[in-house]
């Protein structure tokens, strides 16, 4: 009995494993054992521990046995099911196929996610409701490409930001954002514009400014660029304005032409603290003469009791007058479209009428040529004569009914856009047996490449190489990968892969508590995401080491982010690369405000969430779900009667919780100097922040820098995690045990290239699971 007890650990009966073969039969379980041995989580702290030499011997033996089993196993590329285009892929494919950027998928239901991504074939279903959306979208895309946008009736939408206090002190008078974009009286919104046309953006004002002040300058910004400004100098004086300029009810209109799609619209008041009366002590004071003291002016013809009431109110307000400068953009009204663009774009006609007759003077042979060219690109493969015949017959049928040639092409194009060959990425079987690997075709390889790196269809160069059978050649493939990563369309990898891997998409919906975090506004939200996306994009485009995700000593900042990080010398709304000094407490994505915000609660930080974020996204070692009935923390006590760290230490005394939190919490503690929106702090309420951490394997660290050093010391673990994430995203399926040899080989080869981003991507593209797939036929 005692002997058996020694050979049991939790639910694992060690006595059942008498040989390497028996361990291999339960490999998944022993993979978890190996991971816990590596991280020091086994044996538990309260149990006797072997010395380091014996522990290392066990780890080495298990690793060698797993490696030997992988070498002996038959290579298996896995199987990828037919994958429906997700929303981003659909929009990008329509854009690149037809030259129209309509964002039609905004009207589709949200895509389901699996294994952390929304492009996984197993979870992308096709409901009847979505099929109806596809039919509507196909008609709109085809008609827009061939005839232009349908005329739209102008409409108006009003956006009102939450009210925020404008500070008045000597500090902002001489050191503030001159553009006004970072100040709380600006308004920021991301708005979707349906068509190209002119839109009227009305800035509604309220608030007051000292009488005698110079005119204010209202500025309109689109996607971070100043479009226009208007100066406004309202009349002052009167019984109820006393010594103030009142802006209540004032409005100014801007007329701007915009392309369809989402745009970041902002309105600000520039140089807010300039042009004030000289006694305010601001820069560039007003040159207007000092106004005389306010004098009560009774309203003509008012009854004596009313005059007396107004006079008392006047005297009361006169005593309450304080230096005030709170003029603000209270709301925006967006109206339009006006002067809508008419007819199809030249780019759409060029991509559609491959016969070359964009002037409409088509010949008899044009129908087949146009349809064949569109179908080949829409289906992303060569099309058979029979497929072309069916599509051309739709053109003929439309003409027989009295419709024009263009209407016939439109009908044929709609049929293509609702075809499974467009909506799904289908890879054909060549008859190989289920246990055999089959090479994918050159055109299937082109699609895998383009949807991996661009979230869109192959371009002409990829099509041409696939047609010639050259794309799979190693040197050609390498050149294409590097070309595609340098291309602007690789931003899709940043937005779609990076947005899900780093959880940046969650920024759209986070709502930090405004009372606790008054600095958080829409401009900061937009800027947070932009910083991390530009950091990721720089690693991709400049082919930097992936280890810079851990501790890159630079970032991309505008004035809003620089002020938030207390980095001097950055002015204006443009983002630029900034080398980070050691005293900025920043470096790598872990200390960027975007990641710190999405890994916090609305009211406080969470070492648990942040530790879990690191385990899931940097180490691909997600903890198991928490057990039921675990008591919550006492939120009222956090920062008042106990620090968050002290509460979590009490929480970990629960044996049920301790096993997972022993590794998770210390990782999160390393980021405790950053509050719930990523601002630097030294106190948690009234308690000093303790950002030290001790891992189960005995390693200790201090703060974010120490945490990053720990993570970088095991660069292979991070590289393996990122490889697994990228391979999952690139294949559109979850990884399995048979993918381990491929992952290991990718990481080893990337390491030899100093973990440059292109080397990681290129090795993924060269790998067995990317080039081949498992057969379907049963022998």
């Amino acid at each position: 009995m005692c002997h058996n007890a020694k050979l049991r650990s939790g639910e694992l009966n060690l006595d059942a494993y008498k040989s390497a073969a028996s361990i291999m039969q339960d490999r998944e379980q022993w993979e978890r054992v190996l991971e816990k041995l590596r991280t020091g989580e086994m044996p538990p702290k309260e149990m006797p521990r072997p010395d380091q030499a014996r522990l290392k011997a066990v780890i080495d033996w298990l690793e060698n046995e797993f490696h030997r089993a992988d070498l002996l196993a038959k290579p298996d590329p896995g199987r990828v099911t037919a994958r429906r285009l997700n929303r981003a892929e659909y929009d990008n494919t329509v854009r690149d196929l037809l030259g129209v950027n309509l964002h039609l998928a905004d009207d589709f239901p949200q895509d389901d996610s699996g294994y952390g991504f929304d492009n996984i074939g197993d979870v992308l279903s096709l409901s009847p409701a979505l099929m109806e959306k596809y039919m509507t979208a196909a008609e709109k895309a085809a008609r827009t490409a061939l005839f232009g946008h349908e005329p739209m009736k102008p409409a108006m939408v009003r956006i009102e930001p939450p009210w925020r206090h404008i500070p008045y002190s000597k500090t902002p008078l001489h050191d503030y954002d001159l553009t006004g974009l970072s100040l709380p009286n600006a308004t920021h919104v991301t708005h979707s514009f349906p068509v190209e046309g002119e839109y009227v953006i009305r800035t509604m004002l309220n608030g007051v400014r000292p009488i005698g002040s110079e005119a204010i300058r209202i500025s309109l910004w689109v996607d971070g660029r100043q479009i226009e400004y208007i100066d406004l100098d309202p009349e002052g004086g009167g019984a109820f304005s006393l010594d103030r300029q009142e802006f209540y009810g004032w409005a100014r209109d801007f007329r701007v032409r915009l392309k369809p799609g989402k745009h970041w619209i902002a309105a600000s008041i520039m140089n807010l603290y300039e042009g004030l009366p000289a006694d305010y002590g601001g820069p560039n004071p007003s040159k207007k003469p000092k106004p005389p003291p306010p004098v009560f002016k009774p309203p003509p013809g008012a009854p004596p009791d009313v005059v007396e009431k107004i006079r008392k109110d006047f005297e009361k307000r006169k005593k309450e007058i304080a230096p005030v400068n709170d003029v603000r953009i209270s709301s925006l009204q967006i109206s339009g479209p006006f002067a809508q663009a008419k007819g199809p774009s030249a780019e759409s006609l060029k991509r559609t009428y491959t016969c070359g007759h964009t002037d409409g003077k088509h010949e008899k042979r044009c129908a087949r040529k146009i349809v064949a060219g569109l179908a080949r690109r829409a289906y992303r493969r060569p099309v058979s004569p029979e497929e072309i015949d069916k599509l051309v017959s739709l053109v003929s049928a439309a003409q027989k009914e009295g419709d024009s040639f263009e209407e016939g092409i439109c009908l044929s194009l709609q049929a293509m856009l609702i075809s499974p060959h467009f909506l799904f990425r289908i890879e054909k079987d060549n008859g190989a047996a289920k246990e055999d690997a089959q090479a994918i075709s050159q055109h299937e390889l082109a699609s895998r490449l383009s949807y991996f790196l661009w979230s869109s269809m192959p371009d002409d160069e990829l099509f041409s190489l696939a047609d010639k059978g050259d794309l799979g050649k190693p040197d050609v493939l390498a050149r294409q990968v590097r070309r595609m990563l340098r291309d602007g369309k690789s931003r899709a990898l940043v937005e779609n892969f990076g947005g899900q891997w780093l959880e940046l998409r969650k920024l759209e919906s986070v709502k930090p508590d405004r009372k606790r975090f008054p600095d958080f506004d829409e401009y900061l939200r937009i800027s947070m995401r932009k910083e991390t996306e530009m950091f990721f994009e720089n690693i991709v485009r400049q082919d930097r080491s992936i280890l810079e995700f851990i501790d890159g000593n630079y970032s991309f900042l505008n004035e809003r982010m620089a002020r938030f990080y207390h980095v001097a010398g950055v002015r204006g709304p443009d983002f630029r690369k900034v080398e980070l000094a050691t005293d900025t407490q920043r470096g790598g994505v872990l200390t960027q405000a975007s990641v710190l915000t999405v890994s916090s609660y609305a009211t406080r930080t969470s070492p648990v969430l942040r530790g879990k974020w690191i385990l899931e996204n940097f180490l691909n070692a997600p903890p198991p779900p928490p057990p039921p009935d675990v008591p919550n923390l006492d939120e009222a006590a956090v920062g008042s009667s106990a620090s968050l760290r002290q509460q979590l230490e009490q929480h970990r005394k629960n044996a049920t919780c301790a096993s997972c939190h022993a590794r998770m919490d210390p990782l999160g503690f390393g980021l405790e100097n950053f509050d719930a929106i990523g601002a630097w702090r030294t106190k948690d309420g009234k308690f000093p922040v303790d950002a030290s951490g001790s891992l189960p394997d005995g390693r200790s660290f201090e703060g974010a820098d120490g945490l990053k050093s720990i993570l970088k010391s095991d660069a292979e673990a991070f590289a393996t995690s990122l490889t697994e994430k990228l391979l999952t995203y690139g294949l559109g399926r979850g990884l399995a045990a048979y993918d381990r040899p491929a992952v290991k080989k990718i990481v080893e080869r990337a390491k030899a290239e100093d973990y440059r981003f292109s080397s990681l991507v290129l090795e993924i593209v060269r790998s067995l699971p990317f080039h081949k797939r498992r057969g379907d036929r049963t022998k």
Side-chain angles (χ1 to χ4, degrees), residues 280-568:
Y280 278 66
N284 301 318
S286 173
K287 296 178 181 178
K288 290 183 177 181
K290 187 174 181 179
V295 177
F296 175 65
K297 300 175 183 177
D305 58 333
V306 173
V307 171
E308 180 62 18
K309 184 177 181 302
I310 294 174
R311 186 192 64 76
K312 287 181 179 179
D313 190 34
F314 171 84
E315 295 295 336
K316 179 182 177 183
R317 292 189 64 182
K318 187 175 176 181
K319 293 177 183 178
E320 293 173 350
I321 291 174
V324 66
N325 180 32
D326 72 346
V327 59
R328 65 181 63 241
I329 309 294
S330 61
S331 64
L332 295 178
Q333 288 182 0
I334 301 176
S335 303
F338 305 100
Q340 182 180 333
K342 296 180 180 179
S345 70
E347 183 64 23
S348 293
L349 292 178
K350 179 182 174 183
R351 296 191 191 196
T352 305
Y353 294 137
T354 52
C355 61
H357 300 136
T358 56
D359 57 1
K361 297 178 181 178
H362 298 289
E363 301 172 0
K364 188 174 182 180
R365 62 181 178 85
C366 287
R368 190 170 190 87
K369 185 165 185 173
I370 292 168
V371 167
L374 283 170
R376 171 180 169 275
R377 295 175 62 241
Y379 298 169
R380 305 171 288 275
R381 59 167 174 79
V383 286
S384 68
E386 292 77 19
E387 288 176 306
I388 298 172
D389 289 342
K390 289 180 180 178
L391 293 167
V392 171
S393 70
L394 295 174
V395 182
S396 302
Q399 289 180 298
K400 287 179 182 177
E401 293 294 324
D403 286 330
S404 67
F405 175 84
E406 289 79 9
E407 286 286 358
I409 295 294
C410 185
L411 183 62
S412 180
L413 179 53
Q414 289 180 56
M416 296 178 211
L417 295 179
I418 60 172
S419 166
H421 300 290
F422 173 79
L423 296 173
F424 287 80
R425 290 170 52 196
I426 301 170
E427 296 176 350
K428 292 188 176 181
D429 291 305
N430 62 9
K434 281 186 177 180
E435 61 269 28
D436 294 334
Q438 68 173 54
I440 60 174
S441 74
Q442 292 277 294
H443 291 89
E444 289 166 350
L445 176 59
S447 281
R448 283 196 178 190
L449 265 177
S450 64
Y451 282 98
F452 176 25
L453 302 181
W454 291 345
S455 296
S456 187
M457 60 182 284
D459 65 357
D460 289 342
E461 190 167 338
L462 288 173
F463 273 129
S464 177
L465 290 168
D467 289 343
K468 296 173 185 174
D470 291 339
L471 184 57
K473 294 177 180 178
D475 58 332
V476 174
L477 191 61
R479 283 198 301 271
Q480 288 302 307
V481 166
R482 293 190 176 96
R483 175 184 74 88
M484 294 174 73
L485 289 174
R486 289 192 300 268
D487 192 283
K489 287 193 286 189
S490 66
R491 179 161 178 77
L493 185 67
V494 175
E495 294 175 348
N496 300 323
F497 171 76
Q500 294 176 90
W501 170 46
L502 299 176
E503 301 183 21
L504 301 181
R505 290 184 177 181
K506 291 183 179 179
L507 269 178
E508 296 176 9
S509 56
V510 296
K511 293 181 179 179
D513 185 276
R514 289 196 173 275
K515 290 184 179 178
R516 299 193 186 199
F517 306 105
D519 275 351
F520 189 87
D521 59 11
E522 194 63 24
Y523 189 27
L524 185 60
R525 184 200 307 272
I526 292 168
S527 299
M528 283 178 176
R529 181 163 184 167
K530 183 82 169 176
E531 176 198 9
T532 306
E533 287 182 341
M534 290 188 72
F535 183 86
F536 194 144
E537 191 169 7
N538 182 71
I539 290 176
V540 174
R541 298 281 190 88
Q542 300 301 318
D543 201 13
R544 307 289 297 181
S545 168
I546 61 171
L547 301 184
E548 290 185 1
F549 283 116
I550 299 176
D551 69 345
N553 64 347
Y554 64 91
S555 194
F556 290 82
L557 308 177
N558 63 354
E559 185 169 353
R560 182 70 174 98
M561 290 307 303
R563 287 181 177 276
F564 190 69
Y565 289 167
H566 302 288
V567 174

Side-chain angles (χ1 to χ4, degrees), residues 693-727:
S694 297
L695 297 173
D697 62 5
R699 291 181 295 172
S700 297
F701 61 88
E702 184 69 39
D705 287 342
L707 170 62
K708 289 184 283 188
S709 295
I710 289 276
L711 293 170
K712 195 170 182 180
S713 68
D714 195 1
E716 191 170 316
F718 172 72
T720 300
S721 172
L722 183 52
T723 297
E724 290 170 340
K725 299 283 186 183
L726 275 167
L727 189 57

Side-chain angles (χ1 to χ4, degrees), residues 609-624:
L609 288 183
R610 288 176 174 174
K612 181 173 178 282
W613 190 100
I614 293 171
L615 288 176
E616 288 182 341
N617 300 312
F618 264 37
L619 301 174
N620 205 17

Side-chain angles (χ1 to χ4, degrees), residues 91 94-103 141 144-145 345 348 351:
D91 275 342
V94 169
R95 176 200 67 202
D96 293 342
L97 176 67
L98 301 175
V100 293
N101 197 16
L102 299 173
H103 298 276
T144 302
S345 70
S348 293
R351 296 191 191 196

